[in-house]
Amino acid sequence: MDQPISAQPKRAVPDFSLSDREKNVIIAGSLLSMLLAALDQTIVAPALPTIASSLGHAEYLSWIVTAYLLTATAVSPLYGKLSDIYGRRAIMFAAIFIFLAGSVMCALAPNMLVLIAGRAVQGLGGGGLFALTQTVIGDLVPPLERARYAAWISGTWAVASIAGPLLGGAFAEHLHWSLIFWINLPLGLLAVAVINKPLRKLAIAGTSHKVDGWGAILMVIATFMLLLAVNWGGNRYAWGDPQIIGLLAGSAVFWLLFCLRLRMAEEPLVSLEVLSNRIVLTGTFTMFLLQGGSIGLAVYLPVYMQATLGMSPGDTGLAMLGLLLGTVVGAGTSGRLVPRVVNYKRIAFFGISASILGLGVLAYIADTAHLLEIEIATAIIGAGIGTIFPVSTISVQNAVERKDLGVATGLLTFLRSLGGAIGVAAIGAIALGNNLPLAGEGVAATTASGPHGSFSIIFLAAAAMLLAALIVYAFMPQKALRGSVPTETPIMPE
């Protein structure tokens, strides 16, 4: 299944005929595309009860979220490779139109099965939008200047985290739940219109490439089985049940086959040169661990506020602003400092250390804390976490040649998403073992089941994940950032 590409395959590299305005237009359109994918991770949850009453089969509601997560995570590395071969524009547009096709399926779904299938199709497009946005920015902006755009990316996620639940709840309560998906069409078409013309001017060059089809299949199956296991474990099935053990064992087998394929393929899906790069290895694994702790915290912090402080779901959404805005501020500050600090690794090192200390304080005061104390602590935690995003992305992209930019960025996106899923599952298992309400149960579960254990264990678990990330990060070599884009001779599109 190695598919040969034409005699002159195409790979995106910058074209210096692009003006600063055109570059900013491309970046803005790419961020709008990324907002689509991020919004659909948060907009659905408030509408789930309404969807269940409309379509029935409430027992499958979790699959509306899970189907998107599975496909979006599994395909993100593949998009990076394809964009290195065919160019960013073609693959970006393919991702947008796949996402929009899935949105139409969801909006018109006559039953729960079609809705879940539509969400899976959405994920197939959304996974590409996450990786390609950062790759396009990497094409247009040299590493030394790229850090300042990290605040834009973090801001996009913050907008999705805040606007998603608000829009989802408003559409479901006052209009119709299908608008959750119809809204993607004007936004997606606007993104296409904005970036279509300037993205044509992005120069392309290429060498002989092949797509490793077998490697892609093995990786997708391995990821799919692993994510099913971590989503079902401790929830639908006990961790020791044969279904979970079978999924984990099957995933391990397919990951082993994928590793063997990397060594055997003429041109593997992820080149061994990229995988053997110490900066790429430590940078991506740092993000895997850090995202596990930060997403796990973001999921269980509202549960803590509802169960311990007695807050309503709506109030907890507003109370999460401290963590979200802190992350944006941390990423923006880090992005501005990176070009000015020679030893730029220290920025994220101090940031993650501050987050660990903040989590330690939160664990200490968890049972007696007031809302103001929690807001201050979570803002510090978020700011510290935010510092790593620009540093890790820039370090990984700066460590590889331009021909591998899409692959390296796709790998980073993949491990970030996978780390978040595994982190939520791990912290959920800790919550279950300590008689704590699970995500989505909140006040109702606490009232029904009586007293619960201390949430301190949740914050300590998140701190342990961040500490592991900090240790791995300490071993990441630092490479001087390129101050300008390499002057490759561009070959304009035919």
Side-chain angles (χ1 to χ4, degrees):
M1 293 187 61
D2 288 340
Q3 301 169 6
I5 307 304
S6 60
Q8 284 193 331
K10 302 171 180 179
R11 173 175 52 85
V13 296
D15 173 13
F16 296 101
S17 66
L18 282 167
S19 66
D20 288 340
R21 179 183 177 279
E22 287 173 321
K23 290 179 182 180
N24 288 332
V25 167
I26 292 174
I27 292 172
S30 300
L31 288 171
L32 179 57
S33 303
M34 186 179 184
L35 177 63
L36 286 174
L39 200 62
D40 264 55
Q41 288 193 352
T42 61
I43 198 172
V44 172
L48 290 179
T50 305
I51 293 173
S53 64
S54 175
L55 300 181
H57 297 287
E59 66 272 19
Y60 299 117
L61 272 180
S62 62
W63 273 101
I64 297 176
V65 177
T66 302
Y68 186 91
L69 174 68
L70 289 176
T71 53
T73 303
V75 301
S76 55
L78 183 58
Y79 273 100
K81 181 70 173 182
L82 290 172
S83 73
D84 280 342
I85 295 174
Y86 293 106
R88 314 300 186 214
R89 179 176 176 273
I91 304 304
M92 174 73 84
F93 282 7
I96 292 174
F97 286 121
I98 291 172
F99 181 85
L100 295 182
S103 299
V104 173
M105 283 183 63
C106 292
L108 297 176
N111 54 57
M112 187 67 73
L113 179 61
V114 175
L115 178 59
I116 291 170
R119 289 286 288 170
V121 174
Q122 275 191 311
L124 290 175
L129 297 177
F130 292 136
L132 291 172
T133 297
Q134 297 181 80
T135 305
V136 167
I137 293 175
D139 281 326
L140 296 170
V141 185
L144 193 60
E145 302 173 18
R146 201 176 295 158
R148 62 192 177 95
Y149 290 94
W152 295 19
I153 294 174
S154 297
T156 300
W157 280 102
V159 168
S161 299
I162 298 169
L166 294 176
L167 287 174
F171 287 159
E173 183 177 354
H174 302 294
L175 298 169
H176 192 269
W177 62 264
S178 63
L179 288 173
I180 289 172
F181 306 109
W182 285 124
I183 194 176
N184 293 328
L185 268 66
L187 292 177
L189 294 176
L190 175 62
V192 170
V194 167
I195 63 178
N196 180 43
K197 186 176 179 180
L199 206 55
R200 285 181 182 274
K201 298 176 69 175
L202 195 66
I204 50 179
T207 55
S208 180
H209 281 289
K210 293 181 179 179
V211 178
D212 180 20
W214 284 116
I217 291 173
L218 291 172
M219 183 203 65
V220 169
I221 294 175
T223 305
F224 194 84
M225 296 180 75
L226 177 59
L227 288 175
L228 274 182
V230 299
N231 273 275
W232 284 351
N235 185 8
R236 182 181 293 249
Y237 303 101
W239 284 103
D241 280 4
Q243 292 90 338
I244 302 300
I245 294 174
L247 284 170
L248 291 173
S251 178
V253 169
F254 278 100
W255 279 121
L256 177 60
L257 293 174
F258 176 68
C259 292
L260 293 174
R261 181 64 185 176
L262 290 179
R263 301 184 65 88
M264 294 169 54
E266 182 179 347
E267 184 175 346
L269 190 65
V270 183
S271 75
L272 296 178
E273 181 184 1
V274 171
L275 287 175
S276 62
N277 188 304
R278 278 188 62 198
I279 297 177
V280 174
L281 277 177
T282 50
T284 54
F285 195 52
T286 294
M287 287 307 304
F288 172 85
L289 293 167
L290 184 129
Q291 197 76 344
S294 62
I295 296 298
L297 174 66
V299 168
Y300 278 90
L301 188 60
V303 181
Y304 161 70
M305 291 176 177
Q306 293 176 38
T308 302
L309 303 183
M311 298 176 65
S312 69
D315 289 340
T316 57
L318 293 175
M320 289 291 290
L321 286 176
L323 181 67
L324 296 172
L325 295 179
T327 303
V328 175
V329 170
T333 303
S334 176
R336 285 190 294 271
L337 288 176
V338 165
R340 305 175 186 176
V341 178
V342 175
N343 193 344
Y344 57 86
K345 267 189 64 179
R346 292 179 181 175
I347 300 169
F349 191 90
F350 289 125
I352 301 173
S353 299
S355 294
I356 294 170
L357 290 175
L359 283 165
V361 170
L362 195 56
Y364 181 74
I365 66 173
D367 296 330
T368 58
H370 298 291
L371 180 59
L372 179 60
E373 296 170 327
I374 295 171
E375 288 295 291
I376 294 172
T378 54
I380 293 172
I381 294 166
I385 289 172
T387 60
I388 188 63
F389 294 122
V391 176
S392 61
T393 302
I394 294 160
S395 297
V396 169
Q397 292 183 336
N398 185 64
V400 299
E401 297 180 23
R402 184 160 298 281
K403 66 182 178 64
D404 294 318
L405 181 63
V407 170
T409 308
L411 181 63
L412 179 66
T413 305
F414 170 70
L415 285 176
R416 277 182 62 174
S417 299
L418 190 63
I422 292 177
V424 170
I427 291 182
I430 293 170
L432 191 64
N434 287 271
N435 192 33
L436 295 172
L438 298 176
E441 293 179 346
V443 177
T446 315
T447 304
S449 59
H452 55 77
S454 173
F455 275 85
S456 294
I457 189 68
I458 297 295
F459 303 131
L460 290 175
M465 292 182 191
L466 263 61
L467 178 60
L470 185 65
I471 293 171
V472 174
Y473 179 71
F475 287 96
M476 186 183 81
Q478 179 172 286
K479 181 179 178 181
L481 298 177
R482 295 189 295 270
S484 60
V485 182
T487 55
E488 304 178 38
T489 302
I491 300 174
M492 294 303 295
E494 296 177 0

